[in-house]
Every structure is written in structure tokens, then in C-alpha cells.
Amino acid sequence: MDGIVFGLAALFGIAGTVVSAREAWRQRSRGDYRIARFARTVAFGVCTIGVIFAVPPVEDLIESVTGMNNAAKLGAHFCAVLWCGSLQLMLVDWSYNREVLKASLYARIAFGVCVLAALLPLFVTTTSESVEFTTEHAAVPGVTVYLMVYLCYVAITCGEIAFLCSGMALSARRSGHVWSARGLGTSAVAALLGVAYAASKGSYLVTHYLGHPWPLEAEEIVSPALAGLATMALITGLTMAMVGRRIALRKMSASPVA
């Protein structure tokens, strides 16, 4: 199940990264240096690396090469934090005016750095040959704390992404930019799926701590499915919005001047 879901997500990520990188380079060659385009390309790129790390055969290979248990999981979680943070930077650049843009960017960068700084020592003090950073090992306190820090960050950032994308989708629809509106709407739904993923895995950890967990077999199906769907839908939605913006600009440049 994990191999199929994350393998498909990796394919979406590779395609989205190529399209986004080409668009960013094209605009850069015209002297347009928007933070959003660079952040979007970085987001797609690190997301692709992260989901590749989550594919079971790749995970086994990385742990064999590095000789460190859970190395792939740590890499995948770090990529997920960078993915969410990069998307935040992209949307902040789209949504905020220049007066508050710098402070907004710094605040979100600081938040992401703090989360990464918290995850690393938790990982170092907990990891061992007998421990996996999955809900199956929720009985290990360090695993639960590590995953809850990671999942809280995912839930918070995906919630903000959903809020910003939905607002921009409504604005694009009112302006008549249909493809951008559809893409941003899809992105908002995808971000809500990301919140659902964090809620699914987090609720299992909480109920396990309270002594009444819901079935682990169900969690191991639901959570990866939500994560994969969120990734694929978000990449698809943002790519649609990017292509829609390009189409709108071409129509504007092609329209006769009164």
C-alpha cells in the first residue's frame, strides 16, 4: 500500500517540479524574481525527495547504505517540514503586501527551524535497532513525542495553506480566472487532506496514550492514503493555478488595446 501511494506521489512530484522549475526559469530570464516561484519549485522538489524516501524499498536501501536505522524516516519528515514551510512562503508572497511580507516570511522560517531543531534531538535520543518511528511503536514515549511535534506542525501549516488557497480561489473566481480558481480550490482541499492525515495519525497516538487506541491496521491504511492524496492533489492544484495564470496573461497580452 505505502509503495503504491508514495510511488504515485513521487511521479506527480517529479512532473510538478519540472513544470515549476521551467516556469521559474522562464520568468527569471525576464527579470521577474518572485519568491513565490522559487519557493514553489523548492516545495515540489523536497516533496518529491520526501515521498521517494517513504517508498519501502528505497527506505530499506537508504538505511542499508547509511547504516542508520530510521534514516529514511528522518529524511522524509525533514522534507515534509521543508515542503510545508516552502508552500507557506509561496502563499505568503502571493497574499501579503510588501509592508508585512518580510516579517511574515521570517516568522514562518523561524517556526520551521524550531520544529526541525526539536525533531533532531528527539530522534537521536530515541532511535535504535528495535524502534521504528511509526504508530506501531507508539508505546515508546520518544516516538510519540517526536511524531506529535511533526504532526502538529503539519496540521498548523496545512490549515494555513487551506485558508490562504481558499481565499485566493474565491478572488480568482470573482476575477474570471477559472483555471486559477479551480487549481487553488483543489489546493485548498488537498491541504485539508493534509490536516486530516495529521489528525488521523495524531488521534491514534493520543488514544494509544489514553489506553483505548483505534485499530492500528486501519490507521496504517488511512494515514498513508490521506498523505498521498494530499500530496498529489496539492501539486496538481498549484500546477493548474500556475498554468491558469499563464493562460490569463496570454489572453491579456493578445487582447486589442482600446
Side-chain angles (χ1 to χ4, degrees):
M1 177 67 177
D2 287 10
I4 296 173
V5 170
F6 293 123
L8 284 172
L11 293 177
F12 273 74
I14 292 169
T17 302
V18 171
V19 173
S20 182
R22 288 182 62 186
E23 177 68 10
W25 180 261
R26 190 173 67 87
Q27 295 297 333
R28 183 179 181 275
S29 64
R30 296 180 178 181
D32 189 351
Y33 299 92
R34 286 294 298 270
I35 294 173
R37 295 191 185 95
F38 175 75
R40 181 181 57 212
T41 304
V42 171
F44 287 0
V46 297
C47 173
T48 303
I49 295 170
V51 294
I52 290 174
F53 281 169
V55 176
V58 177
E59 182 179 350
D60 294 338
L61 176 63
I62 291 173
E63 292 184 0
S64 175
V65 171
T66 61
M68 183 174 70
N69 197 39
N70 295 306
K73 286 186 174 62
L74 179 66
H77 291 157
F78 267 51
C79 285
V81 172
L82 294 174
W83 147 256
C84 291
S86 298
L87 289 176
Q88 278 187 305
L89 297 184
M90 177 195 73
L91 293 171
V92 164
D93 187 35
W94 280 353
S95 305
Y96 288 66
N97 58 46
R98 294 296 164 183
E99 287 72 19
V100 298
L101 176 60
K102 186 176 291 187
S104 300
L105 292 174
Y106 287 161
R108 284 154 182 82
I109 291 171
F111 185 29
V113 169
C114 288
V115 171
L116 293 175
L119 291 179
L120 190 56
L122 285 168
F123 177 85
V124 171
T125 56
T126 306
T127 189
S128 70
E129 291 297 327
S130 60
V131 172
E132 296 285 340
F133 283 76
T134 63
T135 47
E136 185 179 356
H137 293 257
V140 181
V143 171
T144 297
V145 175
Y146 173 95
L147 289 176
M148 286 303 295
V149 171
Y150 162 69
L151 293 170
C152 285
Y153 177 80
V154 170
I156 292 170
T157 53
C158 284
E160 182 183 32
I161 291 167
F163 174 76
L164 293 175
C165 283
S166 60
M168 288 189 292
L170 291 174
S171 177
R173 186 171 295 278
R174 286 194 294 266
S175 301
H177 299 153
V178 179
W179 275 101
S180 293
R182 289 173 180 172
L184 290 166
T186 301
S187 300
V189 172
L192 291 176
L193 289 173
V195 175
Y197 156 75
S200 170
K201 193 172 283 289
S203 65
Y204 178 86
L205 294 170
V206 172
T207 54
H208 184 280
Y209 176 78
L210 296 175
H212 302 286
W214 51 293
L216 178 62
E217 294 79 8
E219 188 281 322
E220 289 179 335
I221 294 174
V222 172
S223 295
L226 288 171
L229 287 172
T231 301
M232 290 184 281
L234 196 51
I235 290 172
T236 300
L238 292 176
T239 303
M240 286 172 61
M242 175 178 60
V243 173
R245 177 177 172 79
R246 186 190 301 177
I247 292 172
L249 290 173
R250 284 180 179 176
K251 286 182 178 179
M252 289 177 61
S253 61
S255 61
V257 178

